[in-house]
Amino acid sequence: MPSLDVAGEFETIERLLRPLAHPEWGRGLADDVAVLPSRPGYDLVLTKDVIVEGVHFLPDDPLETVAKKLLRVNLSDLAAKGSEPFGYLLACCWSDRCGWPEREAFAAGLAQDQALFGVFLMGGDTVRTPGPAVFSLTALGWVPAGEAVSRAGAQVGDLVFVTGTIGDGLLGLQAAQAKLKLDAERLARLIDHYRTPMPRLDFADVVRNLATAAADVSDGLAADLNHIAKASGVGIALNLSVLPLSAAAQAWFEDRVDPQAALEDLATGGDDYQIVFTAHPRHEETLRREAERRLLRLTRIGAVTAGEGVAVDYGGRRIELARRGWTHG
Amino acid sequence: MPSLDVAGEFETIERLLRPLAHPEWGRGLADDVAVLPSRPGYDLVLTKDVIVEGVHFLPDDPLETVAKKLLRVNLSDLAAKGSEPFGYLLACCWSDRCGWPEREAFAAGLAQDQALFGVFLMGGDTVRTPGPAVFSLTALGWVPAGEAVSRAGAQVGDLVFVTGTIGDGLLGLQAAQAKLKLDAERLARLIDHYRTPMPRLDFADVVRNLATAAADVSDGLAADLNHIAKASGVGIALNLSVLPLSAAAQAWFEDRVDPQAALEDLATGGDDYQIVFTAHPRHEETLRREAERRLLRLTRIGAVTAGEGVAVDYGGRRIELARRGWTHG
């Protein structure tokens, strides 16, 4: 598409984005398309997320971390399906605040994450917008043919596990908005998590081999479990009392007057980018061993039941969540 | 990605977008990803464009045609590479003006074009934005392995051809902005072209078999030829006098005081979505026959030369273009 904006886009592609291109498939960003050879024996896994300034990231977030977060939230989707990412297409709608230094920071963030995660830019588009900045990314990954994990395979009797800790996404947002009272180091860690969450690619192969259903925790643990329950035609019992908390979240939690409400907030907050999945009980030991080998926390938070929806237990009592998590949007 | 917006996005996916999903690969839009089986012997061709309200489409364009244009400009990129489209991922950032009826119109436009072009929705994202509406689309197509046409293959001695007519994109924009004086029927045709350009998929196989280099005319004929010249390391001689014009463009042209300036405007205006390509002279007759069979206009507009850049000839004189076409953006 052409645009009425003349300055900057050509240079942005030429000087900032071309160095990020896949050496072959991206065609040096000098063509209209990317061309990807077939990989027999593998399925291609695709996901596309879009983030809007003021909605999905804060206007004062550095563009370096905005770029990283954009890439990482997409890689998180691939990880939860047991897929190995290799590339992405990118569309940037730069706002007025995105001058050359900001664009350089954006590209620098991508360059660092490309090296970290082994992915390359394949193509895309760069335009200006009179409104808030908008960035869209399509991530591409491989998975052995037929082995992509879905949301739909949970079986009654399976156990429910989650990697890492839950709630840092919500607390990180509050920290970044200066709404949280904690010591400086913990605040910094939470803000780091909010700005540059770590996609659980290190656990993707385990999920692929052992999980019956999986999703990444983006909408909120309860909402994402609900997606799995619905797609699988089962119920899920979630034990709120064992929610795994980071040290920072634990410190915040200990200051709460109403611990149940606090845990509910964390379980519905979203933006955690952990993997929540179901697996047959016979795999529990293997799962724990694999998590340990990867220095990764793994918590059994519930079980798959007959019925529908998510039934939440807190201290032995069945409770109703006031809020089911962010709506998909 | 979660967002703070609760109303509308879930329903938009459930009621408007799910009916558009590929029956298998799109996973009913009920998963985090699309999963695409490998197609041995074929390469996957990918392209991604983004359009912003007020920049790439007009605030009063109906959302039905905005959706069609978004899809078509991406399909145009695939056609120019000789590729056959089959699917797309979509990200919608709805503005305040995008209520339910507007979203229904957007989905209806997609449904019509899916039937027309044989493509399916594979996945994506839908969010709200406080700014102008932004839509991003990633289109997917197949091409026999190794046969994707690039911008880089033009050879000295090749001829340069363009399908259809040039300038309707520019005049269509002016017509849609009520800046053009022409009879009502011609205005309507130009506005139609601006809002729903026709990707030249009907000529994609010919381009794949016979073109040495190709691009779709999106940035402007002169600019897109310049891309080909640069990527191929050659020069291109463009004969402005033979620029193919539609009846509406011809009527506009005949009213101009300065015919050379008028043709320059049309050759640099962009948004035409024709295919411009280079081919060996021995294929000229076959190309003309194939175009005729498809009821498609095909015009020889120049030749590939040693040197670099685009040399424009008008009435036997070498001229300099005041403007080289829209910058990519």
Side-chain angles (χ1 to χ4, degrees):
Chain A
M1 287 289 295
S3 90
L4 300 173
D5 292 307
V6 177
E9 303 320 318
F10 178 77
E11 289 239 301
T12 298
I13 295 171
E14 197 82 8
R15 289 176 52 193
L16 299 181
L17 300 179
R18 186 157 297 164
L20 305 176
H22 187 283
E24 191 176 343
W25 305 339
R27 296 190 159 199
L29 309 187
D31 208 331
D32 306 296
V33 298
V35 179
L36 181 66
S38 216
R39 189 176 176 191
Y42 284 79
D43 293 340
L44 181 67
V45 183
L46 302 119
T47 187
K48 181 181 175 80
D49 270 338
V50 59
I51 60 176
V52 179
E53 185 177 44
V55 182
H56 306 91
F57 62 94
L58 302 173
D60 56 356
D61 282 340
L63 280 187
E64 184 177 327
T65 65
V66 170
K68 289 183 177 185
K69 183 165 185 176
L70 173 68
L71 181 59
R72 289 169 181 219
V73 301
N74 278 284
L75 297 185
S76 175
D77 280 321
L78 297 185
K81 306 289 112 174
S83 162
E84 189 193 349
F86 64 87
Y88 64 99
L89 292 97
L90 172 70
C92 300
C93 306
W94 308 106
S95 66
D96 290 342
R97 80 141 159 147
C98 303
W100 190 256
E102 287 74 22
R103 294 181 186 207
E104 279 184 320
F106 190 91
L110 287 178
Q112 286 171 32
D113 267 10
Q114 286 199 183
L116 186 59
F117 299 116
V119 298
F120 288 94
L121 179 59
M122 306 277 289
D125 201 5
T126 155
V127 305
R128 286 200 202 173
T129 172
V134 176
F135 302 103
S136 166
L137 192 141
T138 303
L140 309 170
W142 298 117
V143 70
E147 293 187 17
V149 182
S150 86
R151 290 178 179 173
Q155 304 288 327
V156 176
D158 282 353
L159 303 177
V160 180
F161 299 90
V162 71
T163 63
T165 57
I166 291 296
D168 303 298
L170 176 72
L171 297 180
L173 171 60
Q174 293 181 1
Q177 291 171 323
K179 289 180 181 170
L180 215 59
K181 278 185 189 142
L182 276 177
D183 65 87
E185 197 193 315
R186 282 175 174 146
L187 284 177
R189 282 194 169 237
L190 289 170
I191 294 174
D192 265 1
H193 175 90
Y194 174 73
R195 289 182 174 166
T196 51
M198 184 55 72
R200 288 271 69 100
L201 292 162
D202 48 353
F203 210 62
D205 61 327
V206 180
V207 168
R208 184 172 70 243
N209 291 327
L210 300 177
T212 50
D216 73 326
V217 183
S218 53
D219 294 347
L221 181 65
D224 292 306
L225 279 174
N226 198 45
H227 297 326
I228 290 176
K230 199 173 164 190
S232 300
V234 297
I236 287 182
L238 168 65
N239 184 359
L240 204 60
S241 315
V242 298
L243 209 63
L245 303 186
S246 66
Q250 187 65 41
W252 170 86
F253 177 69
E254 283 162 9
D255 271 355
R256 294 310 99 190
V257 180
D258 182 346
Q260 178 185 325
L263 290 176
E264 286 188 31
D265 283 349
L266 301 183
T268 54
D271 243 354
D272 289 318
Y273 303 105
Q274 299 295 338
I275 303 180
V276 62
F277 63 96
T278 58
H280 192 279
R282 73 171 172 272
H283 295 311
E284 182 166 7
E285 203 167 322
T286 312
L287 286 165
R288 293 200 181 282
R289 197 172 56 237
E290 292 297 332
E292 210 166 305
R293 273 185 51 204
R294 290 164 171 81
L295 307 177
L296 194 66
R297 191 158 163 184
L298 183 73
T299 308
R300 175 178 156 181
I301 54 169
V304 179
T305 62
E308 59 181 24
V310 176
V312 183
D313 181 282
Y314 177 67
R317 284 180 302 112
R318 167 78 188 267
I319 63 168
E320 290 299 324
L321 293 184
R323 192 178 65 149
R324 272 285 160 96
W326 308 118
T327 292
H328 183 90
Chain B
M1 287 289 295
S3 90
L4 300 173
D5 293 307
V6 177
E9 304 319 318
F10 178 78
E11 289 240 301
T12 298
I13 295 171
E14 197 82 10
R15 290 175 54 193
L16 299 181
L17 300 179
R18 186 158 298 165
L20 304 176
H22 188 282
E24 191 177 343
W25 305 339
R27 298 191 159 198
L29 308 187
D31 207 331
D32 306 295
V33 299
V35 180
L36 181 66
S38 218
R39 189 176 176 192
Y42 285 79
D43 293 340
L44 182 67
V45 183
L46 303 118
T47 186
K48 182 181 174 81
D49 270 338
V50 60
I51 60 176
V52 179
E53 186 177 43
V55 183
H56 306 91
F57 62 94
L58 302 172
D60 56 356
D61 281 341
L63 280 187
E64 185 177 325
T65 64
V66 170
K68 288 182 177 184
K69 183 165 185 175
L70 173 67
L71 182 58
R72 289 169 180 218
V73 301
N74 278 284
L75 297 185
S76 176
D77 280 321
L78 297 185
K81 307 288 112 174
S83 162
E84 188 191 351
F86 63 89
Y88 63 99
L89 292 99
L90 173 70
C92 300
C93 305
W94 308 105
S95 66
D96 290 341
R97 78 139 161 151
C98 303
W100 189 257
E102 286 73 23
R103 294 181 186 207
E104 279 184 321
F106 190 92
L110 287 177
Q112 285 170 33
D113 268 10
Q114 288 199 182
L116 186 59
F117 299 116
V119 299
F120 289 94
L121 179 58
M122 306 277 288
D125 201 4
T126 156
V127 305
R128 284 201 202 173
T129 171
V134 176
F135 303 103
S136 166
L137 192 142
T138 303
L140 309 170
W142 297 117
V143 71
E147 293 187 17
V149 182
S150 87
R151 290 179 178 172
Q155 302 288 326
V156 176
D158 282 352
L159 302 177
V160 181
F161 299 90
V162 71
T163 63
T165 58
I166 291 297
D168 303 298
L170 176 71
L171 297 180
L173 170 61
Q174 294 181 1
Q177 291 172 323
K179 289 181 182 169
L180 214 59
K181 277 184 193 147
L182 276 177
D183 66 84
E185 198 193 312
R186 282 178 174 145
L187 284 177
R189 283 196 168 234
L190 288 170
I191 293 174
D192 266 2
H193 174 89
Y194 174 73
R195 288 182 174 164
T196 51
M198 184 54 73
R200 289 271 67 98
L201 292 163
D202 48 354
F203 210 62
D205 61 328
V206 181
V207 168
R208 185 173 68 243
N209 291 326
L210 299 177
T212 50
D216 74 326
V217 183
S218 54
D219 293 346
L221 180 64
D224 290 307
L225 280 173
N226 197 44
H227 296 327
I228 290 177
K230 199 173 165 191
S232 299
V234 297
I236 287 182
L238 168 65
N239 183 357
L240 204 59
S241 314
V242 298
L243 209 65
L245 303 185
S246 66
Q250 186 65 41
W252 171 86
F253 177 68
E254 283 162 9
D255 271 355
R256 293 310 99 189
V257 180
D258 182 346
Q260 178 185 325
L263 290 176
E264 286 188 30
D265 283 350
L266 302 183
T268 52
D271 242 355
D272 289 319
Y273 304 106
Q274 298 295 337
I275 304 180
V276 63
F277 63 95
T278 58
H280 192 279
R282 72 171 173 273
H283 296 311
E284 182 165 10
E285 204 166 322
T286 312
L287 286 165
R288 294 199 180 284
R289 198 171 55 237
E290 293 295 334
E292 211 167 303
R293 274 185 52 204
R294 292 163 170 82
L295 306 176
L296 194 65
R297 191 159 163 182
L298 183 73
T299 308
R300 175 178 156 182
I301 54 170
V304 179
T305 62
E308 60 181 24
V310 176
V312 183
D313 180 282
Y314 177 66
R317 285 181 300 113
R318 168 77 189 268
I319 62 169
E320 290 299 325
L321 292 184
R323 193 178 61 151
R324 272 285 159 98
W326 309 119
T327 292
H328 184 91

